[in-house]
């Protein structure tokens, strides 16, 4: 097999002959263009020396040098960038080219400093100086704006001459706007400091001679290997493993949606750790040697090479796009880099989503390969542990064919193991049963033989049983699914799963790729099942305690997003896929039909709870008709909870929990007691009864006044706690008075703001504007007019972090609202003066969709506006509706990252629904105009 070329090092210069500036005859041939076309060091050096002024002192000399080098550098960078744009994936010739340019600047600055500014024709032994590149620069890997790490090496304590040379060099390099890290040391210093600090030791491991006294650099090389590195391999490996683990703990999951290309899990630093250890142990810079040494197979090496090339290409494009060193692949940068690397929109997905799927797949490959390498080294360190220690650490008993090696599950005989392909699934089952980690050699064996998983195996009853047991029997399905997914087993056993592996959803709502989200959901279900979430999720915990079909629920969760990434509605397509996959996993015809229904309608409960007014009996009746049975309601409720909790760490909150609990309980009541239990009259009578009990100390006359002053919608639309607040606010209200009550609603993770004042047109919009000015996010709102002309409005709000307002912030909130309602502050002017959104948020585009629904409510028209979220949007929409004489009764706001769905329950000025198509089109036109104007201000 022909291997791809090794990841070569940057060119290493030899010594300048007696510092005359002669360059070595061999120029590097692995750059993106011929070396002299990129940066002609010899020619540029001659021009620099010819231009050096005889007068003006060192400042004038440095200025002349920097002027010429800056121009040459800019021209070189432009050449590299142009050629890179033509070959956007060809990373290594680019990183070597940037190294070549940097080498040239350092060498010329050294020559000017030693041969012109500080000539020393007869140096003493102590006045020798060598300049070395260290760290990433020493390795010859440079992105456009990488740091330039230099080691100035002297034989003894630094002399005044060497100090002057170093100072002049650094001034020139800084004037060239290079980010220079530097140290001046003797060989003894290097050995001492390297012995104390593994970071310094690692940097010196990658040293590369640039210019100056070559014998000094050779001495350092020899002494490092003889006196520092030799015999300390285990300590170095242990330090690097600990460093990697600490970095991963800090960076989090591999599938974080804005990954750090350099430091993140599966990023360049993981690959560099492998380089460091390879060089330290095997004394080689060439990772291709790891194939000859048997550490990697040729196929694994090819995967390694492609992943490294992709990551370096990504990093270089990031630097070029931002014109500075950036390592975080932010949302806006993802769009830019995807375009630079030639990705295009296709198959119902954006270019950026295809790019990020490739990114995450390469990151997974890096994880696989570094795990193989580093874990084998970790095991190597343990191989001669004392016998007594090994006896105490003896692992659990394992089934025939397996053994415990270094506390990991290993395969005794690979040939026997592969003779029965179902053993691939049994391996994961044994891992779960014993709780052991999987041995890297066993994982490699599985990954290399995925072709054994064919249709015969997929339809085998024993294989189906084992797979379902992995989900249902051993108590930790998340762990086995994640490992199966990383090794490719999950996509091989369920080929329909393969398209969503590492599939990124380009939005601010989902924190994980689709496959990782699915695994998180199943993990959530397992946690609920094991009684770990009783306090946080009482309804779901109770449903699971009472019992339901676990096989159906786990299968539906596994398949609920399997249709994503295509042009069709993913729920519809997913249901079609589930119809084929569920029977193949061993489910009965009836179970498969239930799974298909759950996948098709897995968003129904979430949409009903978050986008509709569940205080409206029609909402609950329609939902109950859709689910039809208590069994489906229970299954869908648990699935919905797991799905939302699996979106990201901060998505689930008490607000969503309260909505889902209320919808579940009302629907269950309707299914068990009949739909008449949900009618308006019953709810109104219950609400009035509850208020009388809450206000038991009130006079009968006052109670009668309060219960008769409101229309029926008021009694159905609010909880008794709000009814009680409004009753007290209205009891002695004056005609021109505005009463405000703001209190935390802890059950809903929000702050409830209640307003009572004389009714007038546009009150809803003014309140929304006041709340927008203080940065409040409205999650729910409703307003009612009493029979005696007072408006009662309740808004549930959260701060920018999606949490209730602190008590300390409530006075400012009240004051701003008061000023706005009194006309002292004009919301429209204040909101329009705000600047655009942050750049990273501007990358997201959400098409606007506006719909009118006259079937979802008995009394109101429901206007649903699905669009790009931004500050002031709710005010713009409500103001537009108010100016069109639309009466807003309630608003339900559902936010999904950068996307928001604002739902308004409205009537016209005569109290009627909007049936006429022409009126609907007129309102839609005005709403779209308001959205477009605000979006332009916000830069989206």
């Amino acid at each position: 097999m022909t291997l791809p070329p090794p990841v070569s090092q940057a060119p290493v210069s030899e010594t300048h002959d007696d510092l005359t500036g002669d360059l070595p005859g061999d120029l590097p041939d692995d750059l993106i263009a011929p070396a002299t076309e990129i940066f002609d060091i010899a020619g540029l050096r001659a021009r620099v020396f010819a231009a050096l002024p005889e007068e003006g002192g060192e400042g004038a000399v440095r200025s002349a040098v920097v002027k010429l080098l800056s121009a040459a550098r800019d021209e070189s960078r432009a050449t590299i960038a142009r050629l890179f744009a033509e070959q956007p994936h060809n990373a290594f010739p680019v990183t070597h080219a940037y190294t070549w340019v940097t080498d040239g600047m350092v060498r010329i600055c050294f020559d000017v400093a030693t041969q012109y500014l500080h000539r020393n024709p007869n140096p003493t032994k102590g006045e020798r100086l060598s300049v070395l590149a260290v760290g990433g620069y020493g390795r010859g890997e440079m992105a456009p704006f990488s740091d330039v790490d230099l080691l100035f090496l002297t034989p003894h304590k630094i002399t005044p001459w060497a100090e002057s040379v170093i100072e002049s060099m650094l001034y020139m390099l800084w004037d060239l706007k290079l980010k220079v890290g530097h140290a001046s040391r003797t060989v003894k210093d290097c050995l001492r400091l390297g012995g104390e600090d593994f970071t310094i030791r690692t940097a010196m491991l990658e040293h590369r001679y640039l210019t100056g006294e070559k014998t000094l650099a050779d001495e350092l090389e020899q002494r490092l290997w003889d006196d520092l590195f030799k015999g300390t391999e285990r300590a170095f490996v242990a330090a690097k493993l600990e460093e990697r683990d600490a970095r991963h703990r800090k960076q989090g999951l591999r599938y974080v949606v804005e990954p750090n290309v350099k430091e993140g899990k599966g990023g360049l630093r993981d690959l560099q750790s492998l380089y460091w250890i390879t060089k330290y142990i095997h004394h080689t810079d060439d990772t291709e040697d790891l194939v000859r040494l048997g550490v990697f197979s040729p196929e694994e090496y090819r995967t390694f090479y492609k992943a490294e090339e992709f990551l370096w290409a990504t990093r270089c494009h990031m630097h070029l796009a931002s014109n500075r060193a950036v390592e975080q692949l932010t949302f806006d940068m993802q769009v830019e880099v995807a375009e630079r690397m030639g990705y295009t929109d296709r198959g119902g997905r954006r270019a950026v989503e295809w790019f990020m799927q490739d990114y995450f797949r390469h990151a997974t490959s890096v994880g696989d390969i570094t795990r193989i390498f580093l874990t084998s080294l970790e095991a190597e360190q343990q191989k001669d542990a004392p016998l007594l220690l090994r006896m105490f650490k003896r692992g659990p008993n394992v089934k025939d064919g397996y053994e415990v090696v270094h506390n990991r599950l290993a395969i005794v005989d690979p040939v026997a193991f592969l003779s029965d392909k179902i053993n691939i699934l049994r391996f994961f089952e044994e891992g779960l049963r014993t709780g052991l980690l999987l041995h890297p050699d066993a994982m490699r064996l599985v990954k290399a033989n995925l072709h054994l998983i064919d249709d015969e195996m997929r339809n085998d009853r024993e294989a189906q049983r084992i797979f379902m047991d992995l989900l249902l029997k051993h108590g930790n399905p998340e762990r086995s699914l994640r490992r199966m997914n990383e090794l490719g087993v999950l996509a091989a056993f369920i080929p329909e799963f393969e398209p969503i592996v590492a599939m990124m959803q380009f939005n601010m709502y989902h924190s994980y790729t689709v496959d990782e989200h699915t695994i998180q959901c199943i993990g959530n279900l397992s946690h609920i099942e094991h009684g770990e979430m009783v306090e946080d999720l009482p309804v779901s915990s109770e449903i699971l305690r009472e019992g339901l079909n676990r096989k159906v629920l786990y299968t539906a969760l596994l398949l609920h997003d399997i249709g994503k990434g295509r042009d069709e509605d993913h729920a519809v397509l997913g249901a079609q896929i589930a119809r084929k996959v569920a029977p193949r996993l061993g489910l009965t015809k009836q179970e498969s039909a239930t799974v298909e229904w759950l996948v098709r309608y897995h968003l129904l409960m979430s949409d009903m709870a978050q986008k509709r007014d569940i205080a409206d009996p029609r909402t609950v009746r329609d939902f109950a008709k859709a689910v039809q049975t208590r069994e489906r309601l229970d299954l869908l409720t648990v699935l919905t909870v797991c799905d939302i909790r699996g979106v990201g760490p901060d998505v689930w909150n008490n607000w969503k929990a309260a909505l889902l609990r209320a919808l579940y309980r009302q629907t269950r009541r309707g299914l068990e007691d009949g739909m008449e239990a949900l009618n308006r009259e019953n709810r109104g009578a219950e609400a009035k009864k509850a208020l009388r009990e809450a206000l038991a100390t009130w006079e009968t006359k006052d109670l009668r006044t309060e219960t008769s002053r409101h229309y029926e919608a008021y009694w159905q639309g609010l909880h008794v706690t709000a009814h009680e607040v409004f009753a007290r606010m209205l009891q002695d209200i004056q005609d021109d008075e505005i009463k405000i009550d703001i209190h935390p609603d802890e059950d809903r993770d929000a702050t409830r703001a209640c307003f009572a004042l004389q009714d007038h047109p546009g009150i809803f919009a003014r309140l929304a504007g006041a709340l927008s000015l203080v940065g409040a996010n409205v999650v729910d709102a409703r307003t009612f007019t009493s029979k005696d002309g007072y408006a009662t409005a309740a808004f549930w709000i959260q701060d920018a972090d999606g949490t209730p307002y602190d008590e300390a912030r409530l006075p400012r909130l009240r004051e701003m609202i008061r000023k706005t309602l009194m006309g002292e502050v004009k919301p429209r002017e204040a909101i329009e003066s705000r600047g655009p959104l942050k750049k990273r948020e501007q990358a997201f585009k959400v098409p606007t969709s506006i719909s009118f629904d006259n079937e979802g409510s008995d009394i109101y028209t429901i206007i649903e506006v699905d669009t790009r979220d931004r500050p002031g949007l709710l005010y713009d929409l409500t103001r537009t509706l108010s100016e069109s004489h639309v009466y807003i009764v309630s608003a339900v706001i559902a936010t999904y990252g950068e996307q928001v769905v604002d739902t308004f329950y409205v009537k016209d000025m005569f109290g009627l629904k909007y049936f006429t198509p022409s009126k609907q089109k007129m309102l839609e036109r005005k709403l779209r105009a308001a959205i477009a104007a605000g979006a332009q201000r916000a830069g989206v």
Side-chain angles (χ1 to χ4, degrees):
M1 178 180 289
T2 303
L3 289 171
V7 184
S8 61
Q9 297 297 296
V12 179
S13 300
E14 297 170 5
T15 183
H16 295 183
D17 297 338
D18 62 26
L19 296 185
T20 61
D22 295 333
L23 289 164
D26 293 335
L27 295 175
D29 59 359
D30 58 353
L31 312 186
I32 200 164
T36 52
E37 290 182 20
I38 291 175
F39 200 79
D40 182 4
I41 297 178
L44 181 58
R45 181 188 178 282
R47 293 202 306 277
V48 166
F49 272 80
L52 294 179
E54 295 183 3
E55 298 179 357
E58 182 173 338
V61 172
R62 291 206 312 257
S63 179
V65 173
V66 169
K67 182 178 179 181
L68 281 170
L69 288 184
S70 293
R73 178 205 56 203
D74 292 347
E75 186 178 335
S76 300
R77 286 179 178 275
T79 299
I80 298 169
R82 175 176 54 79
L83 295 171
F84 190 33
E86 296 170 5
Q87 310 167 56
H89 293 263
N90 198 11
F92 297 129
V94 170
T95 61
H96 297 161
Y98 284 118
T99 302
W100 171 251
V101 173
T102 307
D103 286 355
M105 290 190 287
V106 171
R107 287 171 181 153
I108 291 172
C109 288
F110 178 84
D111 287 349
V112 170
T114 56
Q115 299 176 39
Y116 194 85
L117 290 173
H118 310 288
R119 284 183 64 83
N120 189 4
N122 300 303
T124 64
K125 283 189 176 182
E127 289 179 325
R128 292 177 297 156
L129 177 64
S130 184
V131 183
L132 288 78
V134 293
Y137 177 35
R139 197 168 49 248
E141 295 176 345
M142 292 200 80
F145 294 95
S146 289
D147 293 353
V148 179
D149 293 325
L150 297 174
L151 172 62
F152 296 101
L153 194 63
T154 58
H156 311 295
K157 183 179 177 183
I158 193 165
T159 64
W161 173 82
E163 197 169 353
S164 298
V165 169
I166 294 168
E167 184 179 281
S168 295
M169 279 188 70
L170 289 174
Y171 275 126
M172 286 185 275
L173 295 173
W174 288 332
D175 288 345
L176 286 165
K177 303 294 188 279
L178 297 178
K179 189 177 179 184
V180 182
H182 63 94
S184 303
R185 294 181 185 136
T186 64
V187 173
K188 278 188 178 179
D189 291 337
C190 292
L191 295 173
R192 178 177 54 82
L193 293 169
E196 297 169 355
D197 189 317
F198 278 103
T199 302
I200 294 174
R201 188 185 306 193
T202 305
M204 288 191 298
L205 174 68
E206 300 184 300
H207 73 269
R208 179 170 60 90
Y209 167 76
L210 288 175
T211 188
E213 181 65 45
K214 181 78 161 58
T215 55
L216 262 181
D218 292 342
E219 181 188 349
L220 176 66
E221 170 83 3
Q222 192 66 43
R223 295 284 302 280
L224 283 173
W225 286 106
D226 291 348
D227 301 344
L228 181 59
F229 299 160
K230 189 176 180 180
T232 61
E233 290 85 357
R234 291 195 178 183
F236 184 80
V237 171
K240 291 298 115 181
L241 291 173
E242 174 53 38
E243 187 181 283
R244 179 194 61 148
D245 292 343
R247 189 172 64 251
H248 288 178
R249 285 192 295 270
K250 181 179 178 182
Q251 293 292 329
L253 288 168
R254 179 177 296 120
Y255 298 124
V256 63
V257 288
E258 291 184 294
N260 187 306
V261 176
K262 185 178 178 182
E263 302 288 348
K265 198 169 186 179
L268 284 166
R269 189 67 83 199
D270 280 356
L271 289 173
Q272 287 160 1
S273 296
L274 190 148
Y275 278 130
W276 297 329
I277 294 172
T278 300
K279 187 168 184 176
Y280 209 96
I281 293 176
H282 300 295
H283 295 211
T284 177
D285 290 323
D286 189 352
T287 49
E288 194 174 357
D289 285 345
L290 295 178
V291 178
R292 289 188 283 273
L293 292 164
V295 176
F296 290 150
S297 70
E299 201 59 46
E300 287 167 342
Y301 176 74
R302 182 175 286 103
T303 301
F304 173 95
Y305 182 90
K306 288 179 179 177
E308 185 185 26
E309 184 176 46
F310 182 90
L311 291 172
W312 268 111
T314 299
R315 189 181 182 211
C316 288
H317 284 299
M318 289 166 64
H319 281 212
L320 290 169
S322 56
N323 204 34
R324 61 189 178 90
V326 293
E327 312 303 344
Q328 197 82 25
L329 194 50
T330 54
F331 292 128
D332 57 312
M333 188 59 67
Q334 290 169 18
V335 176
E336 174 77 21
V337 173
E339 184 180 345
R340 284 171 172 265
M341 292 183 72
Y343 287 84
T344 56
D345 298 351
R346 57 187 171 87
R349 295 173 63 196
R350 292 183 60 182
V352 65
E353 292 175 318
W354 288 109
F355 162 64
M356 289 305 295
Q357 185 168 29
D358 281 352
Y359 178 90
F360 287 125
R361 287 187 170 184
H362 283 301
T364 301
S365 297
V366 170
D368 290 342
I369 289 167
T370 53
R371 183 179 60 245
I372 288 167
F373 180 72
L374 296 177
T375 312
S376 66
L377 286 171
E378 191 179 29
E380 185 73 17
Q381 290 188 84
Q382 299 170 359
K383 70 178 181 183
D384 59 354
L387 177 63
L388 190 62
L389 184 62
R390 294 205 303 273
M391 289 173 63
F392 278 118
K393 284 192 169 183
R394 186 166 289 159
N397 291 326
V398 294
K399 292 182 178 178
D400 291 344
Y402 301 103
E403 60 181 338
V404 180
V405 178
H406 304 308
N407 208 31
R408 287 181 167 82
L409 182 67
I411 293 165
V412 174
D413 183 349
V415 175
F417 177 84
L418 295 174
S419 66
D420 182 354
K421 51 196 171 191
I422 297 177
N423 280 335
I424 292 175
L425 290 179
R426 293 190 182 109
F427 172 59
F428 293 98
E429 183 178 40
E430 185 67 2
L432 268 195
R433 188 188 71 80
T434 59
L436 289 168
L437 296 173
L438 307 180
H439 195 281
D441 289 343
M443 289 191 282
R444 291 172 75 185
L445 184 69
V446 168
K447 193 174 179 69
N449 290 279
L450 294 177
H451 60 278
L452 296 178
I453 303 176
D454 53 13
D455 284 340
E456 180 187 26
M457 177 175 165
R458 295 180 193 108
N459 290 295
D460 186 279
R461 293 241 175 136
E462 175 67 2
Q464 294 167 356
R465 179 198 66 75
I466 295 170
F467 184 81
M468 292 311 298
D469 281 355
L470 287 170
L471 292 178
L472 302 173
K473 187 175 177 182
H474 300 289
N476 193 355
E478 180 181 3
R479 178 181 162 194
S480 60
L481 283 177
R482 184 169 287 114
R483 185 62 77 223
M484 289 171 72
N485 188 40
E486 289 179 350
L487 295 178
V489 174
L490 188 55
F493 192 69
I494 306 175
E496 295 85 352
F497 196 85
E498 198 278 335
I500 64 169
V501 173
M503 179 188 286
M504 185 242 198
Q505 302 167 86
F506 189 68
N507 55 54
M508 294 169 66
Y509 181 57
H510 292 91
S511 297
Y512 309 114
T513 53
V514 180
D515 55 335
E516 177 61 25
H517 160 71
T518 300
I519 293 168
Q520 293 269 345
C521 290
I522 287 174
N524 286 330
L525 176 54
S526 179
H527 293 316
I528 300 170
E529 267 201 305
H530 287 85
E532 298 170 23
M533 311 294 292
V534 174
E535 193 172 319
D536 291 339
L537 304 172
V539 171
S540 295
S541 298
E542 178 65 17
I543 290 171
L544 287 168
R545 192 186 64 76
E546 290 178 358
L548 42 60
N549 192 319
R550 298 173 63 239
K551 187 186 289 189
V552 165
L553 185 54
Y554 272 97
T555 305
L557 261 182
L558 180 66
L559 304 179
H560 78 281
D561 276 345
I562 203 164
K564 280 199 167 177
R566 268 60 71 94
D567 282 327
E568 304 99 314
D569 181 329
H570 83 277
V572 174
L573 180 60
Q576 295 168 4
I577 294 171
R579 189 184 307 157
K580 293 187 296 182
V581 174
R584 208 168 67 222
L585 295 178
L587 275 71
T588 66
K589 188 173 182 180
Q590 185 176 350
E591 288 173 334
S592 297
T594 305
V595 168
E596 181 183 346
W597 184 88
L598 286 168
V599 174
R600 171 65 184 86
Y601 295 106
H602 72 271
L603 296 174
L604 177 64
M605 189 172 193
S606 174
D607 285 348
M608 280 290 193
Q610 296 185 76
K611 298 180 184 178
R612 289 294 181 266
D613 184 358
I614 58 175
D616 188 330
R618 179 65 179 268
T619 299
V620 182
R621 285 205 305 271
D622 288 350
F623 179 63
K625 285 178 184 176
V627 297
Q628 295 182 338
T629 67
R630 166 76 188 280
E631 180 197 20
R632 279 184 173 179
L633 174 64
D634 287 349
L635 288 165
L636 184 58
T637 299
V638 178
L639 186 148
T640 301
V641 169
C642 294
D643 189 12
I644 295 174
R645 289 180 70 91
V647 168
D650 302 317
V651 172
W652 180 264
N653 55 31
N654 281 348
W655 178 259
K656 292 182 177 73
L659 293 174
L660 290 170
R661 277 198 295 267
L663 181 57
Y664 172 80
R665 285 169 176 154
Q666 291 179 55
T667 307
R668 178 173 168 176
R669 181 182 174 192
L671 291 171
E672 293 178 343
D673 300 340
M675 294 302 171
E676 61 276 4
L678 304 175
N679 66 36
R680 292 177 179 275
E681 291 74 19
N682 285 353
R683 293 174 74 166
E686 290 170 2
K688 290 176 184 177
K689 180 183 176 184
L691 181 63
R692 290 189 189 100
E693 291 172 358
L695 300 176
T697 59
W698 276 33
E699 296 286 336
T700 304
K701 171 177 65 71
D702 293 334
L703 268 175
R704 190 180 302 116
T705 300
E706 178 59 25
T707 53
S708 62
R709 82 191 308 168
H710 301 286
Y711 295 102
E712 278 302 307
Y714 174 85
W715 299 108
Q716 297 146 15
L718 295 169
H719 189 265
V720 64
T721 54
H723 288 152
E724 183 181 352
V725 169
F726 281 124
R728 297 185 189 284
M729 293 169 79
L730 290 169
Q731 189 176 23
D732 55 357
I733 192 170
Q734 304 301 308
D735 286 349
D736 58 350
E737 191 176 2
I738 299 173
K739 287 196 173 183
I740 303 172
D741 178 274
I742 303 178
H743 279 95
D745 189 338
E746 293 176 0
D747 290 341
R748 297 189 175 194
D749 261 359
T751 299
R752 187 188 64 204
C754 293
F755 307 94
L757 65 163
Q758 272 197 324
D759 191 28
H760 56 79
I763 188 67
F764 197 107
R766 285 177 64 187
L767 291 170
L771 293 168
S772 177
L773 286 179
V774 292
N777 292 321
V778 178
V779 291
D780 200 356
R782 51 205 67 218
T783 182
F784 307 95
T785 302
S786 66
K787 295 174 184 177
D788 53 349
Y790 285 98
T792 51
F795 284 73
W796 283 265
I797 58 177
Q798 294 173 333
D799 63 16
D801 297 322
T803 57
Y805 276 82
D806 292 333
E807 287 282 352
R809 298 169 66 188
L810 295 184
R812 179 177 175 269
L813 195 63
R814 287 191 190 93
E815 181 60 16
M816 177 58 77
I817 292 167
R818 188 196 63 77
K819 285 183 177 180
T820 305
L821 294 177
M822 297 298 292
E824 297 174 27
V825 175
K826 300 288 190 293
R828 186 170 187 173
E829 295 172 6
I831 290 171
E832 289 181 357
S833 67
R834 290 181 173 176
L837 294 176
K838 295 175 183 175
K839 187 178 178 184
R840 68 179 283 272
E841 297 177 6
Q842 293 179 19
F844 299 100
K845 310 296 178 188
V846 178
T848 295
S849 170
I850 299 175
S851 63
F852 292 79
D853 177 9
N854 282 305
E855 302 298 323
S857 174
D858 293 332
I859 302 173
Y860 309 110
T861 293
I862 304 171
I863 302 177
E864 184 176 286
V865 181
D866 186 338
T867 191
R868 176 67 164 86
D869 195 17
R870 57 175 171 78
L873 173 66
L874 182 63
Y875 171 68
D876 286 346
L877 296 177
T878 54
R879 175 176 52 79
T880 300
L881 291 173
S882 296
E883 289 173 354
S884 302
H885 308 295
V886 177
Y887 178 61
I888 303 170
V889 178
S890 65
V892 180
I893 291 87
T895 305
Y896 308 91
E898 76 283 0
Q899 179 184 6
V900 67
V901 180
D902 288 352
T903 305
F904 303 98
Y905 284 69
V906 304
K907 297 188 291 189
D908 68 12
M909 60 194 302
F910 303 109
L912 303 174
K913 290 185 177 184
Y914 283 89
F915 282 110
T916 313
S918 60
K919 286 186 177 179
Q920 292 181 5
K921 287 179 181 177
M922 178 269 294
L923 282 177
E924 180 176 352
R925 189 169 60 251
K926 289 183 176 181
L927 288 169
R928 285 186 179 276
I931 291 168
Q936 188 173 10
R937 289 195 308 272
V940 295

